[in-house]
Amino acid sequence: YACFAGNPIWYNDKFGLDTAFADNFARQNFQEVYQQILQRIATIENHLSKIRETGQHRNWKDSKLERKMNKYKDKQQYDILKDIKHGLDDIITDPIKFTYSTDASKIKDGTGGHTSHLDDNNVLIYFRKNSLGNFVHESRHGWGVIRKEWSYKGGYDTTDEIVAFEWQQVFDAGAVSNFIEMAQRIYNQNNQDPNSWRVFNLEDAVNFIY
């Protein structure tokens, strides 16, 4: 049988629980995202290592080295990728049982997924098949349960959505841009005065839609 995300050497749970999958697509997409994260982190770390080597060779001051590191185009993405890996590792090993599913009948039209915190021991994560951006978005909501940011008893707010979209952006920037543009369009269409039309950022869009 399949357990521990298909890899019992990597994924193990001392409590005997598991990251479960309702279908093969859910399992495959989980593994695909995890492998992509490892590869992308390794690529960025290799580049950052070269910057450090250059700094040592040229005797850069620590402040200059830090500026060079932060200017690297993928540095912000690197920090988010590490967060995603941390989140998935927690989901794999936490006593709460997380069940992933690509059952589209459980997902509302116009949305990419849905996370349900059923009780103290079970969380269901639905996402659209092969949509890795939706997968990481909903996984961030799952990690939020572990971090006690929200639960079936309450606590969910727009901050949870903003961070989930930031995760999603690393895997599907186009979908996040479309979400922002959609929210901005609806807001401006509903506003009769063109002088008060706005250009939205992610936080504006989330606060308006949610």
Side-chain angles (χ1 to χ4, degrees):
Y1 59 90
C3 66
F4 304 124
N7 195 328
I9 295 176
W10 252 0
Y11 305 151
N12 57 82
D13 187 338
K14 64 184 179 181
F15 295 96
L17 297 178
D18 188 16
T19 304
F21 303 95
D23 56 85
N24 284 331
F25 288 111
R27 178 183 294 106
Q28 291 166 5
N29 287 164
F30 189 106
Q31 293 171 333
E32 184 178 356
V33 168
Y34 200 92
Q35 289 303 314
Q36 279 196 32
I37 290 169
L38 294 179
Q39 292 167 5
R40 291 168 70 175
I41 287 176
T43 298
I44 295 171
E45 286 181 342
N46 182 57
H47 193 95
L48 292 175
S49 178
K50 290 180 180 178
I51 295 176
R52 291 190 196 95
E53 291 174 4
T54 300
Q56 291 174 353
H57 180 72
R58 298 182 180 179
N59 294 318
W60 288 345
K61 293 181 179 179
D62 289 344
S63 57
K64 182 175 181 178
L65 177 60
E66 186 175 355
R67 284 199 309 273
K68 291 284 187 179
M69 299 272 281
N70 290 332
K71 283 179 65 177
Y72 175 49
K73 63 181 178 64
D74 289 334
K75 179 62 169 61
Q76 183 179 5
Q77 194 176 89
Y78 173 64
D79 294 335
I80 296 176
L81 284 166
K82 288 194 299 181
D83 261 357
I84 297 174
K85 180 182 181 300
H86 186 186
L88 293 182
D89 286 341
D90 282 351
I91 286 171
I92 291 164
T93 59
D94 194 83
I96 296 172
K97 182 177 180 180
F98 290 85
T99 302
Y100 282 85
S101 173
T102 61
D103 183 354
S105 69
K106 304 295 185 180
I107 303 172
K108 294 180 181 179
D109 291 343
T111 66
H114 176 65
T115 298
S116 296
H117 187 191
L118 299 182
D119 53 40
D120 289 330
N121 299 312
N122 291 279
V123 174
L124 302 180
I125 297 179
Y126 298 98
F127 66 99
R128 296 199 182 278
K129 180 176 65 177
N130 296 329
S131 177
L132 305 188
N134 291 333
F135 170 90
V136 297
H137 182 116
E138 297 305 325
S139 292
R140 180 58 182 82
H141 290 318
W143 196 33
V145 172
I146 295 174
R147 290 161 59 92
K148 301 188 184 305
E149 295 169 350
W150 70 282
S151 75
Y152 65 97
K153 297 177 182 178
Y156 171 86
D157 59 28
T158 54
T159 301
D160 298 305
E161 282 298 337
I162 291 170
V163 179
F165 274 111
E166 288 173 347
W167 274 31
Q168 181 177 355
Q169 200 162 26
V170 174
F171 278 82
D172 192 353
V176 178
S177 294
N178 289 340
F179 168 75
I180 296 171
E181 291 173 5
M182 178 269 295
Q184 177 181 303
R185 183 174 62 253
I186 294 173
Y187 175 88
N188 290 335
Q189 286 175 347
N190 292 339
N191 197 321
Q192 299 298 318
D193 182 8
N195 293 322
S196 62
W197 286 357
R198 295 172 53 192
V199 176
F200 275 16
N201 58 25
L202 176 57
E203 185 174 353
D204 294 330
V206 168
N207 285 326
F208 175 66
I209 295 296
Y210 290 89

